[in-house]
Amino acid sequence: MRLDGKVAVVTGASAGLGLRFAQVLAEAGADVAVGARRDLAGARAVVEGAGRRCAAVRTDVARDADCAALVAAAVEQLGRVDVLVNNAGIGYAARAEQDDPAAAAALFAVNLLGAYQMAIHVGRALIAQGEGGSIVTIGSALGSTTGPLPEAAYSASKAGVAGLTRDLAAQWARHGIRVNTLAPGWFASELTGPLLEHERRAAQLAGCAALGRIGRPEELDGPLLLLASDAGSYITGTTLTVDGGWSMR
């Protein structure tokens, strides 16, 4: 599950799971282009700390021009692109009858349109290189099941990601480009931190999983590398769910 000689692009890489993904890919041998709306000094530090080269570009994936600029930086500064980890995402809980359509639209612009735009720009680069590649979009178990919080907009966006994965995988298989979704359950991260600070809520979320606990960030390392590397060379168009058995209940 090595990525020596490869170049990966990671969005939402300033903190949380995205920062860890950048580090994991670098430690597996990849040079990494990182993008996020916030400061990327931490992402640069973990990539370079692993002895790899880093390109860092402030990126709002809801803006197509930003997506294009991040991919261009990967090619210009690091020489090519081989892997995309489509990680940028936002979320909130709201009862559907009380939700604000403007808030939902902003969420879709990041979670679904942003993932689409990044995939298109990376796909074009991969097709031009003619050597295949891997696109991994971070979905959610909520794309295929329900949870204890009212999250219709978020769940819809992640279900959309799974559909996007299948269609792009079908379109680009002839180019040797694999496209998959990695769908975590409840994991300790910057996004879930406020929920997990409350003992009762944390216990409720842990109870969603058959294993009876919240996932640890390092438990996504292997699944990510499987989909990103040649270890997963015959896997495309699928959703790999890593949720401790939540979605089977």
Side-chain angles (χ1 to χ4, degrees), residues 84 86 111-124 126-127 132-138 159-181 235-239:
L84 168 64
N86 234 338
N111 292 7
L112 188 50
L113 178 62
Y116 177 79
Q117 291 174 162
M118 282 301 308
I120 295 306
H121 287 292
V122 168
R124 289 170 179 163
L126 294 175
I127 291 169
S134 174
I135 294 173
V136 182
T137 298
I138 306 304
V161 160
L164 175 64
T165 284
R166 290 190 296 271
D167 202 271
L168 292 181
Q171 290 189 43
W172 292 343
R174 65 190 180 97
H175 298 290
I177 300 169
R178 297 183 299 106
V179 188
N180 292 288
T181 299
I235 303 173
T236 195
T238 195
T239 295

Side-chain angles (χ1 to χ4, degrees), residues 17-205:
L17 293 179
L19 178 61
R20 181 172 185 88
F21 293 155
Q23 181 176 359
V24 167
L25 295 169
E27 290 176 348
D31 295 327
V32 186
V34 292
R37 291 183 294 186
R38 294 180 295 177
D39 184 73
L40 287 159
R44 182 182 289 278
V46 300
V47 172
E48 294 180 346
R52 307 310 308 171
R53 295 181 298 156
C54 182
V57 180
R58 285 288 184 96
T59 307
D60 179 353
V61 297
R63 294 171 50 88
D64 184 60
D66 283 14
C67 298
L70 176 57
V71 177
V75 174
E76 292 166 6
Q77 297 181 39
L78 304 177
R80 57 185 295 115
V81 60
D82 301 282
V83 175
L84 168 64
V85 179
N86 234 338
N87 170 74
I90 59 176
Y92 66 87
R95 295 201 60 79
E97 71 272 17
Q98 300 170 352
D99 201 2
D100 178 359
L107 181 147
F108 293 140
V110 174
N111 292 7
L112 188 50
L113 178 62
Y116 177 79
Q117 291 174 162
M118 282 301 308
I120 295 306
H121 287 292
V122 168
R124 289 170 179 163
L126 294 175
I127 291 169
Q129 287 170 187
E131 300 174 21
S134 174
I135 294 173
V136 182
T137 298
I138 306 304
S140 170
L142 285 168
S144 60
T145 190
T146 58
L149 303 178
E151 298 181 87
Y154 182 82
S155 296
S157 73
K158 294 306 184 179
V161 160
L164 175 64
T165 284
R166 290 190 296 271
D167 202 271
L168 292 181
Q171 290 189 43
W172 292 343
R174 65 190 180 97
H175 298 290
I177 300 169
R178 297 183 299 106
V179 188
N180 292 288
T181 299
L182 176 59
W186 292 108
F187 275 78
S189 70
E190 184 184 40
L191 191 63
T192 61
L195 293 172
L196 300 180
E197 289 175 358
H198 301 281
E199 184 176 347
R200 183 176 178 182
R201 178 65 76 186
Q204 183 183 33
L205 299 182

